[in-house]
Amino acid sequence: MLFGRRLSALLLCSVMSVSLLAGCQNDKKTSEDGAEERVKLTFCMSQTGWGGEAVDPELMKEVEKYIEEKTNTDLEIIAPPQSSYNDKLNVLLTSGEIPDIFVVRKAMDNIQVMASRGYTMPMDDLIKNAPEITSLVDPEYLDYLKVNGSLQAVPMYVPMSKIIWLRKDFMDQYGVNLSETPTTQEFYNEMKKLAGKGITPFTFPKFLDNLPFFFNPFGAYYGIGVDKDGKYYDGFNTPEAREALSYVAKLYKDKIWDQEFLTNENATIREKLFSGKAASTIDYFNRYIYFVNESEKVNATTEFVPIYELKGPNGQGGNLNEAIQDVICISSKSKHPEKAMEVIKYYFYSQEGVKLRCLGVEDKHYTIENGYIKPMEKALNSGYKCDVNQFLLYYPKFTDYGFKWDESTEKLLPRQMELVEEANKHLGPKYLIPGGKSDLYDKNLSAYKKKIDEISSKIILGTITVDEGYEEYEAFWKSIKGDQMLEQLNN
Amino acid sequence: MSRESSGTLQYTSVGRKVFNIANALFLFLVSMAVLIPLLIVIVTSLSPDSVVAREGYVLIPQGITFENYTKIFKSGYMSAFRNSIIVTISSTLVSMVLTVVMGYAMAQKDLIGKKFLIRFVVATMVLDAGIIPFYLVVKNLGMIDSYLSLIIPTAISTYNLILMKNYMSSIPTSLIEAARIDGCSELGILFRIVIPVSIPIIAAVTLFYTVSHWNNYLHVVMFINDSSKYTLQVLLRQLIFQSESAISSASALNNFKMAVMVMTMIPVLILYPFIQRYFISGIMLGSIKE
Amino acid sequence: MSTNTTVVAEKGMVKQKSRSEFARKFHRQKPILILLIPGILWYIIFKYTPMLGALAAFTDYGTKAKISFIGFENFIQLFTSPGFWGAFRNTLIISFCNLLFYFPLPIILALLMNELIFVRLKRLVQFIVYIPHFFSWVVVGAIFAMLLSPSEGIVNQIIMSLGGDPIYFMADQNWFRSVLVGSYMWRDVGYGTIIYIATISTIDVQLYDAATVDGAGYWQKMLYVTLPSLKSTIATVLLLTVARVLLIFEQVLVMYVPSVYSVSEVLTTYSFTEGLLNGNIGYATAVSLFTAVVSAILVIGCNKISKKFLGEGII
């Protein structure tokens, strides 16, 4: 037994160590060469992050060259398609080939795991010499990215939240009268006017992690939350959550809620809204110009108005707060963390870098004619847009772009800026659950999330009643030893 | 029977006629079940944005535009297309050489350790180690980021190998023995006798390999880092999924997505009739025996 | 002619009688064995070496900074996990349905296509049914979601015109498995016929002629000539299908929605979402290892059955 174990350990280690050795050798070569040599760094971020979402490899190389020159580095860029980004990153990380700089998605859930597996390098010292970052990012959000008190990553986007977007034309046509913060009852009553009119009053994506928007008005939390005393509790199994689910189920039953929401991709709900198949949807705060422009393109032009939050019976509310989604990490094995930090500072936290990310390289991605920006044809064909929306998501905030957008964008921009500012005043709650504190939690997290999605969707569809749903849920909670899990978290 | 070569189509009974008509009707329905969705794909890909945004998918054309196709052609399609062709042709060649040679060897009636060998091969279908150990092997061979990683590690498909072996072992032994006695080398037998007799299966397996190498997506993403080496499948998936991302502001309507799909299918679809000829008409084993 | 030469060959072998049977055989088969080398090497390098990675099932690989052996802990977690048994049950049900409904279809279709009188038509039909294989599962999922949509889909419009209520097939627990099997059939049936058509094309014409002389009708010829000639191909394809049937993955991953998790979560998707996606490679590998064991049992069983009916096993 002992021998067998040793043998198998040996075999496994040999497979893995050979690969690690191969990686190390490459690194050594570059560091031993003189100081003149540019530092070699690998940089892993999905394909869409290199110059206005253009997927053309040639254009991407232009952006790469530009960063290399500005930061005096030799970058090896790994840019997998964004739909396979997580798979590729997982393979790289688990095979020990950790890129010097890499992006982690859904950071609020994943950063703990990344740190506890030793993939990320603590940035506490690095950040001290990075006023570019600390001056821009709210310390609260950096706190989200700390594991055991040490910083593991920096945010790529500003904190994000989702609100409801309504088409003005349908509201006027059917006499729907809603404020920017209506009560749940008002929302139901007014939206009811749109039901049975051949349009979908409210469309929703198949991703049920958007449900908190409807949980917040009832003071419920979709997942493991933190109560007033700072104790962790199961937000899903509360009277408030039942109330919220009954409310949504009622919206569904009365044909206000999209009857086919479970087959809606993110792109589908947007299309439904701007083409006039749906009267409203839930989406990010920076979508105003996008919706107006797209609706114009398909001959369904209208104005779009927001609902920042719904107010519940007790006056509670809040929008869908996603806080931090994508973050940037430095490899724990990086030979040149300072240099990696420099690249991060340039590409994610300087005006020039952000411009490069959002728009690409001048005369490759776009040109400026008479002060107006115009996309080049080659870029245009690979999914590129001269897009102001992206600028709203990044640090630092731009006040002067150095050129003018096309006419309609220029016209709409001030309104969009107002919307951004207002949306930030309606942030819903968002709690961070520390990893490594409860092995039950770490183990069952994804099963838990899947289960609450499953129960919620069945209740909304009406295939089971709220009580039946919670009966099933409680059985599940027992099977994962939920109470024990909470105890572990609270100790 | 309706075999092209068969000369037995002399009389037809009433029952036979009824069957023929019913059969044709049934196959017509089956074809329709395939054609209608396909038609939707094609019509949608040719429809203008305003129609697609309203309808989602379109079956009856309301205006035609080739805009999406020209857009794809200009989006670096050609270079990705070239990459795909290089990878597909070379990996299919390697695959076929390995599969034919190994299939032939395994088809020998009294091969030493034949039972073990077959189990050795079939066991790999069941026991799949997953992507990460596979990645480490490919990496240690220094193949990462080179097309070798798309050609060698996926060269043999056990499924195809077994089909090949199975077919070749049905070739009459007398045919091979005779050649062996005449002093033919093993490779000589393979090329002069076995391969000509096995044209139908070789055509079918070539098709299987070509299609799977052409459609290969996962391995390209896993083993290739440099995006200028990406193949068509990767490029097109990027174009399709760009708009699915939560924060993306790209908008790709269905017409564009469907055009992308048609563009990935066409090259291999064109190839099909050429290969089909070989496995549909076959080779007369009987005539060779004489 | 051939009998003469074998006699000569046997005479030649008599000389080597001093050597053992095996050595003689080995000597004779040397050229063949050499041909096997590249293939065997390939299998060792690309199939068997990675299998060492299956040892990860006994480690906490992926969850900690340092890998350590944890014995059967992953398996204990597996067998006590509520999701696992549901996934196992779903895998068996969906695989069984796929075998039952999908597997015979290409055979029937190949036989029927073979009966078509006009060769051009035969080729055309073959070509058409093969096309859906080129749709990736994402697209098949989108197409089926569209066809089955309660409000706009053709299927529900037919149901409604017959006076029924629309069904949300993609999200309905009672229907979703049928959607999986149906879309699988739709996509791959034409592809499956290729191998049978290739085999039918090699059936000796003389067999048909002889059957005609014996007064056999069309049906008899199909039953007593065509089908028996396909026997070994069918058995082989069945075995190869069984070996892979539990590995259904991408289709489920792109098509399922939360409300049907409980009827459609299969072992591969379970391993992917709870293991790989969390970076818990050890756990994911344990699930794969379990799947492999079940597959192996199925393959061996299938081989036993084919031995019984065909007189010879495939493996």
Side-chain angles (χ1 to χ4, degrees), chain A residues 105-234:
Chain A
R105 293 187 176 164
K106 294 229 165 191
M108 302 274 282
D109 297 330
N110 292 329
I111 195 67
Q112 311 271 350
V113 178
M114 292 287 161
S116 64
R117 287 171 200 173
Y119 298 145
T120 53
M121 173 175 283
M123 292 186 179
D124 303 287
D125 294 330
L126 292 168
I127 199 102
K128 278 179 200 146
N129 303 318
E132 296 91 334
I133 299 177
T134 43
S135 65
L136 290 170
V137 184
D138 188 335
E140 183 196 340
Y141 291 108
L142 287 180
D143 285 345
Y144 279 134
L145 300 174
K146 282 183 181 164
V147 175
N148 297 331
S150 79
L151 186 69
Q152 304 294 328
V154 287
M156 180 155 134
Y157 301 111
V158 298
M160 304 219 282
S161 58
K162 286 187 183 177
I163 58 177
I164 289 182
W165 292 95
L166 295 155
R167 286 181 69 96
K168 192 92 180 0
D169 52 352
F170 289 140
M171 303 202 18
D172 293 345
Q173 191 182 341
Y174 298 105
V176 176
N177 194 3
L178 283 166
S179 72
E180 291 180 343
T181 54
T183 65
T184 47
Q185 195 55 45
E186 283 164 0
F187 183 73
Y188 173 85
N189 291 341
E190 294 297 310
M191 294 302 276
K192 188 100 186 23
K193 294 177 184 167
L194 293 166
K197 298 289 192 298
I199 46 167
T200 307
F202 175 72
T203 185
F204 193 81
K206 68 180 183 186
F207 307 104
L208 291 167
D209 50 6
N210 287 301
L211 273 181
F213 192 91
F214 293 89
F215 271 55
N216 294 340
F218 296 93
Y221 192 73
Y222 195 69
I224 305 287
V226 181
D227 65 14
K228 276 167 269 165
D229 311 322
K231 289 259 183 218
Y232 295 101
Y233 75 108
D234 180 16

Side-chain angles (χ1 to χ4, degrees), chain A residues 47 53 84 97 270 287 387, chain B residues 135 217 238 242 246 248-249:
Chain A
Q47 175 94 55
E53 299 192 31
S84 306
E97 255 184 296
R270 286 169 196 156
R287 291 260 159 207
D387 183 23
Chain B
Y135 180 89
Y217 166 77
Q238 281 165 352
Q242 213 174 9
S248 167
S249 53

Side-chain angles (χ1 to χ4, degrees), chain A residues 224-269:
Chain A
I224 305 287
V226 181
D227 65 14
K228 276 167 269 165
D229 311 322
K231 289 259 183 218
Y232 295 101
Y233 75 108
D234 180 16
F236 188 71
N237 194 3
T238 54
E240 291 85 7
R242 286 179 190 229
E243 221 180 316
L245 278 175
S246 325
Y247 175 73
V248 175
K250 194 171 74 168
L251 292 178
Y252 184 85
K253 192 163 158 271
D254 293 341
K255 309 250 153 72
I256 294 169
W257 194 277
D258 191 340
Q259 300 293 297
E260 295 168 41
F261 73 102
L262 282 171
T263 30
N264 284 345
E265 299 290 340
N266 279 322
T268 325
I269 55 163

Side-chain angles (χ1 to χ4, degrees), chain C residues 153-277:
Chain C
I154 298 174
V155 177
N156 273 304
Q157 269 160 15
I158 294 172
I159 292 176
M160 281 192 281
S161 68
L162 295 174
D165 287 326
I167 300 165
Y168 195 0
F169 290 97
M170 299 294 283
D172 191 321
Q173 290 185 70
N174 303 319
W175 286 98
F176 187 69
R177 284 181 188 144
S178 315
V179 173
L180 282 180
V181 176
S183 55
Y184 190 74
M185 292 192 333
W186 181 79
R187 180 180 184 260
D188 277 346
V189 70
Y191 201 64
T193 59
I194 290 175
I195 192 69
Y196 297 113
I197 288 191
T199 313
I200 289 174
S201 76
T202 59
I203 297 173
D204 196 338
V205 189
Q206 290 169 358
L207 288 178
Y208 288 115
D209 293 342
T212 316
V213 172
D214 289 347
Y218 287 100
W219 285 111
Q220 275 124 341
K221 274 190 257 181
M222 194 201 258
L223 280 178
Y224 298 114
V225 181
T226 317
L227 213 50
S229 312
L230 284 179
K231 206 172 65 178
S232 124
T233 309
I234 293 175
T236 311
V237 174
L238 178 64
L239 187 100
L240 297 176
T241 311
V242 166
R244 300 193 297 190
V245 76
L246 299 183
L247 300 178
I248 174 173
F249 174 62
E250 200 191 344
Q251 182 194 8
V252 178
L253 193 72
V254 302
M255 285 174 81
Y256 72 172
V257 298
S259 62
V260 293
Y261 279 164
S262 60
V263 294
S264 59
E265 178 91 287
V266 288
L267 287 174
T268 45
T269 54
Y270 177 78
S271 151
F272 179 75
T273 52
E274 307 230 335
L276 209 59
L277 224 51

Side-chain angles (χ1 to χ4, degrees), chain C residues 283-299:
Chain C
Y283 191 62
T285 315
V287 182
S288 313
L289 216 54
F290 176 83
T291 317
V293 170
V294 180
S295 290
I297 293 170
L298 289 180
V299 168

Side-chain angles (χ1 to χ4, degrees), chain B residues 19-282:
Chain B
F19 170 77
N20 275 344
I21 294 168
N23 186 24
L25 214 69
F26 173 74
L27 290 175
F28 174 76
L29 286 178
V30 171
S31 309
M32 274 302 134
V34 172
L35 276 182
I36 289 177
L38 186 72
L39 215 61
I40 294 176
V41 167
I42 293 170
V43 173
T44 307
S45 75
L46 292 170
S47 298
D49 285 357
S50 54
V51 176
V52 176
R54 196 175 58 238
E55 313 238 326
Y57 291 89
V58 195
L59 179 58
I60 297 141
Q62 309 164 37
I64 279 183
T65 167
F66 288 93
E67 204 183 300
N68 292 303
Y69 287 94
T70 49
K71 206 165 140 191
I72 295 166
F73 259 115
K74 290 178 190 158
S75 68
Y77 178 89
M78 288 324 280
S79 69
F81 180 77
R82 201 188 51 232
N83 292 344
S84 269
I85 294 279
I86 295 170
V87 170
T88 306
I89 291 181
S90 42
S91 52
T92 305
L93 269 177
V94 173
S95 292
M96 283 315 288
V97 169
L98 282 172
T99 308
V100 168
V101 167
M102 196 173 180
Y104 168 66
M106 283 173 76
Q108 303 298 314
K109 288 266 142 47
D110 56 348
L111 184 72
I112 296 167
K114 183 173 177 177
K115 254 210 147 88
F116 170 78
L117 190 60
I118 292 173
R119 286 178 186 169
F120 170 82
V121 166
V122 172
T124 61
M125 285 187 86
V126 172
L127 242 178
D128 183 13
I131 187 77
I132 286 157
F134 190 49
Y135 180 89
L136 288 174
V137 169
V138 175
K139 194 187 140 160
N140 287 329
L141 291 169
M143 289 179 177
I144 294 297
D145 217 15
S146 114
Y147 281 152
L148 278 182
S149 67
L150 303 179
I151 297 171
I152 312 288
T154 49
I156 302 179
S157 140
T158 305
Y159 189 90
N160 293 343
L161 176 67
I162 296 290
L163 289 179
M164 184 70 79
K165 171 237 142 204
N166 205 35
Y167 188 98
M168 285 179 167
S169 52
S170 71
I171 298 170
T173 337
S174 54
L175 215 61
I176 294 165
E177 283 304 317
R180 206 167 271 160
I181 304 304
D182 288 352
C184 223
S185 71
E186 286 303 326
L187 278 177
I189 295 173
L190 180 61
F191 279 104
R192 265 180 245 153
I193 294 160
V194 178
I195 291 182
V197 177
S198 311
I199 288 295
I201 193 75
I202 289 177
V205 168
T206 307
L207 184 74
F208 291 161
Y209 273 128
T210 313
V211 170
S212 78
H213 289 310
W214 180 264
N215 285 346
N216 191 358
Y217 166 77
L218 182 76
H219 292 125
V220 183
V221 172
M222 291 303 160
F223 298 152
I224 300 294
N225 290 339
D226 181 352
S227 40
S228 62
K229 288 184 190 149
Y230 278 162
T231 57
L232 201 52
Q233 294 290 340
V234 182
L235 176 86
L236 298 178
R237 259 198 216 211
Q238 281 165 352
L239 290 175
I240 290 186
F241 286 111
Q242 213 174 9
S243 64
E244 302 291 342
S245 127
I247 62 132
S248 167
S249 53
S251 60
L253 290 170
N254 283 336
N255 52 0
F256 179 70
K257 293 180 189 169
M258 295 302 120
V260 164
M261 228 180 57
V262 172
M263 293 296 285
T264 12
M265 281 162 46
I266 281 178
V268 209
L269 280 186
I270 291 172
L271 182 78
Y272 184 72
F274 296 101
I275 294 185
Q276 187 190 37
R277 175 176 326 197
Y278 292 103
F279 64 76
I280 214 161
S281 49

Side-chain angles (χ1 to χ4, degrees), chain A residues 150-421:
Chain A
S150 79
L151 186 69
Q152 304 294 328
V154 287
M156 180 155 134
Y157 301 111
V158 298
M160 304 219 282
S161 58
K162 286 187 183 177
I163 58 177
I164 289 182
W165 292 95
L166 295 155
R167 286 181 69 96
K168 192 92 180 0
D169 52 352
F170 289 140
M171 303 202 18
D172 293 345
Q173 191 182 341
Y174 298 105
V176 176
N177 194 3
L178 283 166
S179 72
E180 291 180 343
T181 54
T183 65
T184 47
Q185 195 55 45
E186 283 164 0
F187 183 73
Y188 173 85
N189 291 341
E190 294 297 310
M191 294 302 276
K192 188 100 186 23
K193 294 177 184 167
L194 293 166
K197 298 289 192 298
I199 46 167
T200 307
F202 175 72
T203 185
F204 193 81
K206 68 180 183 186
F207 307 104
L208 291 167
D209 50 6
N210 287 301
L211 273 181
F213 192 91
F214 293 89
F215 271 55
N216 294 340
F218 296 93
Y221 192 73
Y222 195 69
I224 305 287
V226 181
D227 65 14
K228 276 167 269 165
D229 311 322
K231 289 259 183 218
Y232 295 101
Y233 75 108
D234 180 16
F236 188 71
N237 194 3
T238 54
E240 291 85 7
R242 286 179 190 229
E243 221 180 316
L245 278 175
S246 325
Y247 175 73
V248 175
K250 194 171 74 168
L251 292 178
Y252 184 85
K253 192 163 158 271
D254 293 341
K255 309 250 153 72
I256 294 169
W257 194 277
D258 191 340
Q259 300 293 297
E260 295 168 41
F261 73 102
L262 282 171
T263 30
N264 284 345
E265 299 290 340
N266 279 322
T268 325
I269 55 163
R270 286 169 196 156
E271 268 168 50
K272 280 187 177 176
L273 184 69
F274 68 66
S275 66
K277 277 166 102 178
S280 62
T281 193
I282 181 166
D283 210 336
Y284 288 110
F285 56 64
N286 69 330
R287 291 260 159 207
Y288 176 69
I289 298 177
Y290 169 88
F291 282 140
V292 173
N293 281 341
E294 295 295 321
S295 73
E296 231 164 77
K297 254 196 243 165
V298 298
N299 305 327
T301 320
T302 184
E303 169 72 1
F304 290 84
V305 290
I307 291 179
Y308 296 113
E309 61 179 307
L310 295 178
K311 291 282 181 205
N314 304 323
Q316 284 162 303
N319 66 11
L320 175 69
N321 182 0
E322 288 193 344
I324 306 290
Q325 289 276 310
D326 293 13
V327 298
I328 314 134
C329 301
I330 296 179
S331 161
S332 57
K333 288 184 187 152
S334 179
K335 296 266 184 302
H336 310 282
E338 291 86 10
K339 206 71 198 167
M341 195 65 182
E342 234 171 87
V343 174
I344 293 175
K345 276 194 258 179
Y346 174 72
Y347 199 44
F348 297 94
Y349 290 95
S350 76
Q351 292 232 359
E352 201 181 275
V354 169
K355 212 162 149 185
L356 188 61
R357 290 199 55 199
C358 297
L359 291 175
V361 182
E362 192 172 344
D363 292 329
K364 301 287 178 194
H365 291 77
Y366 63 92
T367 51
I368 290 171
E369 270 174 31
N370 309 325
Y372 284 91
I373 187 165
K374 235 188 94 193
M376 303 282 276
E377 207 198 339
K378 187 171 160 54
L380 212 51
N381 289 317
S382 53
Y384 174 84
K385 264 182 174 183
C386 287
D387 183 23
V388 72
N389 292 331
Q390 298 291 318
F391 279 97
L392 305 173
L393 299 178
Y394 295 135
Y395 302 101
K397 282 272 168 292
F398 269 74
T399 43
D400 180 25
Y401 299 96
F403 55 80
K404 276 194 172 334
W405 301 94
D406 61 88
E407 222 169 291
S408 78
T409 306
E410 285 290 337
K411 211 173 66 200
L412 298 168
L413 197 53
R415 171 70 177 142
Q416 173 69 80
M417 298 310 283
E418 269 172 46
L419 283 159
V420 172
E421 208 166 298

